[in-house]
């Protein structure tokens, strides 16, 4: 078993491949490469569980409108997959295209067809099959619903989550039983040392600090940065021994074009006829999976309106919606994992969600699902909210009981255009190891906001035309912009592209001008669409592993 604590064991010898970070990206890559027989080191800043030292390393200085929360990242084995919701969807065709109305983007140097084989292979890591997203997973619930959307202007996009979500650190733990793969915990990489010859730069070692600030080093033939969307860019900026502006930063591109999926509630649908049944839009659970349809514009509508790919989710308003007691109750029930998982696995028929907290989106992020419960205050909140709790429990347990919904709230998820001003730089505040913490400037642009306003407008017209209801939304007038909560999706910062003048990695994810350094994670996304990113991150990790297997043979001959 090669699971090593770097504070007790000093790394020895030379590795073939050094992967920095043990989140979904790093562990997928390590798993794909393990069978190659190459000597692989995976370096992880945290431990198997949370520690105060590693938690403090998540700090970010925020200077823009969208704030990065510490709980949007986790410094532990498994990375943010220890708290994520596992909601997944592939990117849409339009996301990878060159959309001429995006002034700072030429699209992805890959097509959706290039990505599809890797989405398919990602199924072995726990993701649903690619085919589930073509509408087939939702079909039964859609048929059972009072209405569905399909028009030349808007469409339903499928989102599916494993319920409960899986943790990559637990799921892929057996990699470290392989004789050729070592995992170093408590090993925070603080910079990459490199050497330069006339043509190229080569990384020679990952420079590491322990929680006691003792120095260590790991040398290897190839290095992969898989430290999460923000840290990938930060580590390049901190690696300055051959370039004072940071490794791979000859053209001032590192840290730029940051994106997120800002989210928030805005817009109320007053239904013409109250609905009894709408599981595919309200969200439901079946066979250990949960999911829903989001509403987005058809690709052609986005092209003709020159807008981005944002989407809307339906949140039915029940008499108990937004009750603090129910939120407290759901958190407690979610903590009672064994009972809950047993119950969820038993549900072979459609189980409609009865409160938006059930999907975990907000509960996990805002209230920090990993945090300890304050039992006294939770129980008190539940006691003071008894009428709402009784109604909720009654309808939750009697899932087949009809419940009329007259009003629906819209939950909005935005695509952000990649602009150079949205960027990560180094702040003047230092972390425990004496390194500059990241400073993040992230603001919505006029196009970001106009895209969502247009989606509301078209969607409003559509529901009126089909006599479904009316949309109350004055998004174009409201100030400040209300959709401003980050979604823990840290994208861009080391974007992929053909031209080194406007990107950081090439289509093989190799850093331009650095012969043996690759980047894996959301930071390489040139644009982000509206899909949750981890499915695509894992697909890219599998693709990168295939490339590295071939490339390392070339290096050796
Ligand atoms: C509450 C929450 C809910 C989410 N829900 C979803 C969802 O439903 N669907 C979805 O697709 N995505 C979701 N995400 C985002 C998802 O978790 C990330 O996309 C995914 O974890 C990114 O994987 P990664 O391996 O690139 O980075 P990470 O998971 O961030 O892993 C990076 C790893 O690198 C380590 N590391 C960082 N810096 C260093 C260093 N200097 N030296 C050594 N090691 C280092 C970290 O400790 C960590 O283990 C959610 C995130 C959160 C926080």
């Amino acid at each position: 078993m090669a699971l090593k604590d770097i504070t007790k064991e000093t790394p020895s010898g030379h590795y073939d491949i050094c992967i920095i970070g043990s989140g979904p990206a790093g562990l997928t890559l390590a798993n794909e490469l393990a069978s190659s027989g190459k000597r692989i080191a995976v370096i992880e800043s945290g431990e198997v569980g949370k520690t105060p030292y590693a938690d403090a390393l998540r700090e970010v200085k925020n200077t823009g409108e969208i704030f990065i929360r510490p709980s949007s990242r986790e410094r532990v084995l498994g990375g943010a997959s220890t708290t994520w919701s596992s909601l997944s969807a592939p990117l849409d065709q339009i996301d990878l295209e060159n959309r001429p109305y995006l002034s700072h983007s030429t699209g992805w140097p890959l097509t959706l067809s290039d990505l599809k084989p890797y989405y398919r292979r990602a199924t072995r890591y726990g993701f649903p099959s690619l085919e589930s997203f073509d509408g087939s997973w939702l079909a039964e619930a859609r048929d059972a619903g009072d209405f569905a959307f399909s028009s030349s202007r808007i469409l339903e996009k499928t989102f599916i989550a494993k319920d409960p979500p899986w943790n990559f650190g637990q799921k892929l733990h057996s990699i470290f039983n392989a004789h050729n793969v070592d995992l170093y915990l408590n090993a925070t990489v603080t910079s990459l040392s490199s050497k330069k010859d006339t043509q190229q730069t080569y990384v020679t070692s990952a420079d590491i600090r322990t929680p006691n600030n003792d120095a260590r080093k790991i040398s290897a033939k190839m290095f992969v940065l898989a430290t999460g969307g923000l840290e990938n860019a930060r580590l390049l900026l901190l690696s300055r021994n051959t370039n004072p502006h940071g490794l791979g930063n000859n053209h001032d591109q590192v840290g730029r074009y940051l994106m997120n999926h800002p989210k928030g509630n805005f817009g109320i649908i007053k239904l013409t006829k109250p609905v009894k049944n709408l599981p595919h839009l309200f969200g439901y659970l079946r066979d250990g999976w949960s999911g829903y349809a989001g509403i987005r514009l058809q690709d052609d509508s986005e092209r003709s309106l020159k807008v981005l790919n944002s989407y809307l989710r339906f949140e039915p308003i029940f008499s108990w919606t937004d009750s603090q007691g129910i939120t407290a109750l759901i958190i407690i029930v979610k903590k009672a994992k064994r009972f809950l998982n047993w119950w969820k696995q038993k549900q072979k028929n459609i189980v409609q969600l009865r409160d938006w907290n059930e999907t975990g989106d907000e509960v996990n992020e805002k209230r920090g699902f990993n945090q300890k419960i304050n039992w006294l205050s939770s129980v008190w909140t539940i006691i003071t909210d008894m009428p709402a709790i009784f109604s909720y429990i009654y309808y939750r347990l009697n899932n087949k009981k009809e419940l009329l919904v007259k009003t629906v709230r819209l939950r909005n998820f935005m695509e952000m255009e990649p602009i150079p001003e949205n960027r990560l730089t180094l702040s003047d505040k230092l972390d425990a190891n004496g390194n500059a913490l990241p400073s993040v400037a992230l603001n919505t642009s006029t196009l970001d906001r106009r895209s969502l306003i247009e989606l509301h407008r078209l969607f409003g017209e559509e529901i009126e035309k089909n006599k479904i209801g009316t949309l109350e939304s004055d998004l174009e007038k409201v100030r400040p912009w209300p959709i401003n909560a980050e979604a823990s999706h840290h994208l861009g910062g080391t974007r992929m592209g053909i031209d080194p003048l406007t990107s950081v990695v090439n289509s093989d994810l190799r850093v331009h001008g650095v012969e043996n350094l690759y980047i894996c994670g959301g930071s390489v996304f040139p644009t982000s669409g509206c899909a949750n990113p981890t499915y695509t991150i894992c697909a890219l990790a599998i693709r990168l592993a295939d490339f590295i297997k071939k490339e390392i043979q070339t290096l050796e001959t």
Side-chain angles (χ1 to χ4, degrees):
M1 176 96 164
L3 209 145
K4 304 168 184 229
D5 182 337
I6 210 157
T7 57
K8 299 185 186 124
E9 214 167 328
T10 306
S12 62
H14 192 78
Y15 285 91
D16 292 306
I17 305 158
C18 172
I19 300 169
I20 306 165
S22 75
L27 289 186
T28 303
L29 194 59
N31 193 53
E32 291 287 319
L33 291 169
S35 61
S36 68
K38 299 292 168 202
R39 231 186 135 211
I40 300 168
V42 179
I43 313 182
E44 171 52 49
S45 169
E47 291 189 13
V48 174
K50 283 162 83 69
T51 60
Y53 160 78
D55 270 0
L57 290 173
R58 300 175 307 168
E59 190 179 337
V60 174
K61 180 178 170 190
N62 288 290
T63 61
E65 160 200 12
I66 315 275
F67 265 54
I68 306 296
R69 287 167 293 101
S71 63
S72 68
R73 313 192 290 162
E74 296 298 339
R75 286 256 181 150
V76 286
L77 177 65
S81 77
T82 52
T83 52
W84 76 325
S85 307
S86 85
L87 208 56
S88 302
L91 290 169
D92 295 303
Q93 174 87 38
I94 194 167
D95 301 333
L96 294 106
E97 284 174 8
N98 177 11
R99 291 173 275 178
Y101 48 92
L102 301 186
S103 47
H104 295 284
S105 171
T106 50
W108 288 53
L110 308 173
T111 63
L112 191 56
S113 307
D114 294 331
L115 273 182
K116 277 186 177 172
Y118 304 101
Y119 278 134
R120 290 208 169 84
R121 282 168 62 188
T123 308
R124 70 183 277 224
Y125 293 94
F127 293 96
S129 72
L130 186 58
E131 287 66 33
S132 323
F133 295 100
D134 64 11
S136 54
W137 190 82
L138 287 174
E140 192 188 335
R142 198 171 190 265
D143 290 347
D146 290 353
F147 62 81
F149 289 102
S150 172
S151 82
S152 58
R153 303 199 300 174
I154 59 173
L155 58 76
E156 295 175 347
K157 180 175 170 73
T158 307
F159 292 84
I160 308 174
K162 186 90 189 98
D163 207 338
W166 71 97
N167 166 345
F168 277 75
Q170 282 167 2
K171 193 176 177 80
L172 298 178
H173 203 267
S174 61
I175 313 170
F176 304 108
N177 295 335
H179 70 282
N180 56 324
V181 187
D182 293 339
L183 166 70
Y184 291 96
L185 296 172
N186 274 321
T188 300
V189 175
T190 50
S191 68
L192 298 171
S193 286
S194 54
K195 68 173 191 210
K196 217 172 173 177
D197 66 20
T198 43
Q199 300 289 323
Q200 282 289 0
T201 302
Y202 296 84
V203 176
T204 50
S205 66
D207 306 328
I208 295 165
R209 292 283 164 161
T210 70
N212 297 329
N213 221 2
D214 295 330
R216 302 275 191 275
K217 247 182 206 313
I218 286 185
S219 55
K221 287 185 190 138
M222 276 188 182
F223 293 80
V224 183
L225 271 182
T227 53
L230 299 178
E231 293 300 317
N232 287 342
R234 178 184 174 216
L235 260 174
L236 291 181
L237 293 175
L238 286 170
S239 304
R240 286 176 290 211
N241 80 306
T242 50
N243 181 347
H245 305 294
L247 195 57
N249 199 22
N250 294 341
H251 305 290
D252 191 22
Q253 292 298 294
V254 173
R256 293 190 184 272
Y257 310 104
L258 281 189
M259 296 165 287
N260 207 294
H261 288 134
K263 60 182 187 177
N265 293 331
F266 199 88
I268 298 283
I269 306 171
K270 292 270 161 58
L271 293 165
T272 317
K273 246 185 16 204
V275 297
K276 291 182 198 146
N277 241 338
L278 209 49
H280 83 295
L281 287 168
F282 291 171
Y284 68 100
L285 170 81
R286 193 184 56 200
D287 270 338
W289 295 92
S290 59
Y292 60 85
I295 303 291
R296 58 170 287 254
L297 295 176
Q298 296 273 8
D299 286 4
D300 277 345
S301 302
E302 286 185 11
R303 285 187 201 101
S304 66
L305 288 165
K306 299 188 171 46
V307 293
L308 298 159
N309 191 2
S310 298
Y311 87 91
L312 310 172
R313 183 183 169 179
F314 277 37
E315 274 183 14
I317 304 291
F318 301 117
S319 60
W320 55 80
T321 295
D322 293 334
S323 142
Q324 291 301 309
I326 286 162
T327 303
L329 180 74
I330 290 174
I331 290 178
I332 290 173
V333 174
K334 281 191 171 187
K335 292 265 179 190
K337 279 188 195 153
R338 260 197 220 151
F339 164 74
L340 190 69
N341 294 349
W342 168 82
W343 180 81
K344 282 179 176 170
Q345 302 302 329
K346 271 176 64 86
Q347 307 308 309
K348 299 293 172 209
N349 297 317
I350 291 168
V351 179
Q352 305 201 52
L353 299 180
R354 293 302 199 198
D355 191 81
W356 54 271
N357 280 309
E358 288 178 11
T359 54
D361 168 24
E362 198 80 337
V363 171
N364 283 15
E365 294 183 358
K366 268 208 185 126
R367 297 170 179 91
F369 193 46
N370 254 359
Q371 309 304 319
K372 287 205 168 67
I373 290 183
N374 181 340
W375 285 98
L376 203 64
S377 104
S378 299
V379 171
W380 181 247
T381 315
I382 291 170
I383 290 170
T384 51
D385 225 354
M386 270 306 166
I389 300 265
F390 279 133
S391 306
Y392 168 70
I393 291 178
Y394 176 79
Y395 284 105
R396 168 45 53 245
L397 297 179
N398 296 293
N399 187 64
K400 295 223 167 67
K401 272 250 166 313
E402 278 178 359
L403 191 53
L404 283 180
V405 174
K406 296 180 194 138
T407 313
V408 171
R409 175 164 79 189
L410 290 182
R411 189 153 179 73
N412 304 267
F413 296 84
M414 297 171 66
E415 179 179 14
M416 292 179 83
E417 66 171 322
I419 54 172
E421 297 77 21
N422 279 343
R423 71 185 292 201
L424 179 146
T425 50
L426 297 177
S427 85
D428 43 16
K429 194 168 171 197
L430 305 182
D431 67 16
N433 299 114
N435 287 302
L437 284 161
S439 172
V440 168
L442 198 55
N443 294 293
T444 55
S445 72
T446 309
L447 176 60
D448 299 346
R449 295 189 294 271
R450 185 174 69 77
S451 300
L452 192 64
I453 292 167
E454 286 293 322
L455 174 58
H456 274 220
R457 184 178 64 77
L458 256 70
F459 174 69
E461 287 173 12
E462 204 69 33
I463 59 172
E464 249 178 76
K465 196 173 80 192
N466 291 298
K467 304 196 172 27
I468 290 171
T470 50
L471 174 64
E472 291 175 4
S473 161
D474 57 354
L475 204 47
E476 65 284 6
K477 292 193 200 120
V478 69
R479 300 284 182 277
W481 180 253
I483 317 300
N484 58 7
E486 75 130 335
S488 307
H489 300 165
H490 304 147
L491 309 167
T494 66
R495 73 172 176 177
M496 188 193 323
I498 292 162
D499 186 353
L501 293 177
T502 57
S503 59
V504 176
V505 297
N506 67 14
S507 57
D508 298 321
L509 305 187
R510 190 171 68 80
V511 174
H512 293 301
V514 187
E515 195 61 6
N516 62 344
L517 177 61
Y518 297 81
I519 299 189
C520 194
S523 62
V524 304
F525 287 22
T527 57
S528 72
C530 63
N532 304 64
T534 314
Y535 189 27
T536 305
I537 290 173
C538 287
L540 288 174
I542 297 168
R543 183 174 172 273
L544 176 60
D546 284 1
F547 181 82
I548 286 181
K549 277 189 224 164
K550 280 194 228 135
E551 188 67 6
I552 201 149
Q553 305 296 356
T554 326
L555 273 184
E556 280 166 3
T557 52

